[in-house]
Amino acid sequence: RSWWIQLLPDAYQVYFDQHPICWAGFSLSLLYLNVVLTFGGIMTAYLVWLGMGMGSIGFWRGMASAAGLAGTVFYHCISTRMGCLVDVGMVSISYQFLCLSACCASFFMEDVGASLVALNAGVILSRPGLWAFDIAVTQLMQEHVPAPIRGLVGGVQQSMNAFFTLVAFSIGLFLSDPKYFHIYAGMAYSGVG
């Protein structure tokens, strides 16, 4: 056991003893920093600030939800082809990162219309990768964490997910002006990469 693991509370020690599965779970929890590049309240405020109407935002939010549901089909297709859940997770997260790169590129575009298209398209297209990665990690944990501690490990996972969500919203308190959205989005993007 590493020296730094011994400094953690008991439940976290059990969690991080689950090598290498704990790192997949930790990667999943880092995705919770990305509350920005979703069609949640923060991005909605930014889109309204850029002049996008609420009807359009609602349409694109619905498209993102449908794309997220497509992530379950995406997961099934690639897991059937690849077989190895680790490979499925790597392909899924790489796909999400690639799609979110379009979002970050949108902040460097001069034309607001083109920027909105790139931002919305990047978010929508990233959703299947996000959900396929989530399912792959969850499946890995179910298969590789011993049954007697599975609930404890799952509880720690949920606490880390909540922690990184809290961190993301806390940063939003300091970067609340929409003109700083690109900085906030860059931080969220780094949590995926």
Side-chain angles (χ1 to χ4, degrees):
R1 183 182 279 191
S2 299
W3 65 270
W4 63 270
I5 291 177
Q6 295 175 13
L7 300 174
L8 298 172
D10 291 344
Y12 283 83
Q13 288 180 27
V14 171
Y15 180 88
F16 283 106
D17 279 341
Q18 307 309 307
H19 296 288
I21 301 304
C22 68
W23 298 114
F26 187 73
S27 297
L28 178 62
S29 66
L30 285 175
L31 294 183
Y32 283 79
L33 284 171
N34 187 23
V35 297
V36 181
L37 295 174
T38 66
F39 280 97
I42 295 169
M43 186 167 144
T44 298
Y46 177 69
L47 294 174
V48 168
W49 183 71
L50 287 178
M52 185 178 268
M54 292 303 287
S56 295
I57 293 170
F59 172 77
W60 294 117
R61 182 181 276 183
M63 294 297 292
S65 296
L69 289 173
T72 60
V73 175
F74 179 61
Y75 168 80
H76 176 71
C77 290
I78 62 174
S79 65
T80 302
R81 279 206 173 121
M82 301 180 99
C84 175
L85 287 174
V86 173
D87 292 344
V88 171
M90 290 301 294
V91 167
S92 300
I93 197 68
S94 297
Y95 172 79
Q96 183 189 15
F97 186 72
L98 180 67
C99 292
L100 291 179
S101 297
C103 298
C104 288
S106 75
F107 301 121
F108 299 100
M109 296 178 178
E110 297 288 327
D111 181 5
V112 173
S115 176
L116 285 173
V117 168
L119 178 62
N120 289 335
V123 169
I124 291 166
L125 292 173
S126 75
R127 306 320 281 171
L130 168 68
W131 289 109
F133 181 74
D134 184 297
I135 295 168
V137 171
T138 302
Q139 186 70 35
L140 279 167
M141 291 183 126
Q142 289 174 348
E143 290 180 7
H144 296 286
V145 174
I149 60 168
R150 201 171 291 147
L152 177 74
V153 170
V156 171
Q157 181 66 48
Q158 290 302 318
S159 72
M160 288 194 308
N161 296 350
F163 171 76
F164 285 115
T165 301
L166 178 64
V167 168
F169 283 125
S170 297
I171 292 168
L173 289 172
F174 299 101
L175 298 175
S176 58
D177 192 325
K179 70 181 178 186
Y180 298 121
F181 182 79
H182 66 286
I183 297 170
Y184 197 17
M187 289 182 206
Y189 176 70
S190 68
V192 177

